[in-house]
Amino acid sequence: MPKKGLLIVISGFSGVGKGTIVKELLKRYPEEFRLSISATSRKPREGEEEGKHYFFVSRERFREMIDAGALLEYAEYNQNYYGTPKEYVISEAENGHNVILEIEVQGGLNIKKLFPDSLLLYVVPPSAKELYERLVGRGTESLSEIHRRLKRAVEEADYVPQYDELIVNDDLEVCVQEVYELIRRRQEEAGEQHAMIARLKNELLEITKEKPE
Ligand code: 5GP
């Protein structure tokens, strides 16, 4: 049986640096990882490219995608739709690639329901003050949008305990290494469990091959 890839959900408060962590993983381990590109009804930010950062669609088109069953999961975030196109994720995972989904918590928890083997990672900043300063420094959102995103972070915080692992993004290098190690460990464990179950199954089949007298 071909080895299936792992679905890795990376979530975290807005501005925490999830995108940079993901970019580093893809750059360092291009053979191992694939990135799921989401569809969104949000307008592109400056520098964002169609098909690279997102598939930018209208709200109507997004609803059509929902109706056609083309999305694995979707959520509404600050009045915009965001969703994961199904086909790419499934085919890449079937081909043995680990697929990274950089999505918010509702979507992450839905992925866990659909794929209990997936790995859910949540990235947090060392402090709220640091997060605020990073968001202002990024300069891509207005102060009122930043305020909305921080309020959303307060709501998201309640769901974080349902994630598998919490990662503090203080030092990027340490953080990328930690994420990579967590992924490798999960794969090793999954491989060991798989081998053990296969062995036990064979043993059981052997024992039950003949009916007792
Ligand atoms: P942004 O507008 O900053 O690009 O994204 C806003 C939020 O939507 C982020 O938390 C991001 O992770 C999340 N997001 C992006 N794509 C998806 C998706 O396909 N599904 C869900 N549920 N959330 C997504």
Side-chain angles (χ1 to χ4, degrees), residues 110-148:
N110 283 333
I111 290 291
K112 190 76 175 176
K113 268 192 223 138
L114 286 171
F115 305 96
D117 289 347
S118 54
L119 176 63
L120 266 54
L121 308 176
Y122 202 91
V123 187
V124 291
S127 73
K129 184 166 174 282
E130 173 120 6
L131 182 68
Y132 179 72
E133 283 165 4
R134 275 190 212 171
L135 274 170
V136 173
R138 179 160 96 173
T140 48
E141 285 91 12
S142 64
L143 279 181
S144 63
E145 174 67 17
I146 290 174
H147 192 78
R148 259 207 302 278

Side-chain angles (χ1 to χ4, degrees), residues 44-50 52-53:
R45 289 189 197 124
E46 204 167 310
E48 281 185 334
E49 288 172 39
E50 167 70 14
K52 183 175 173 202
H53 295 92

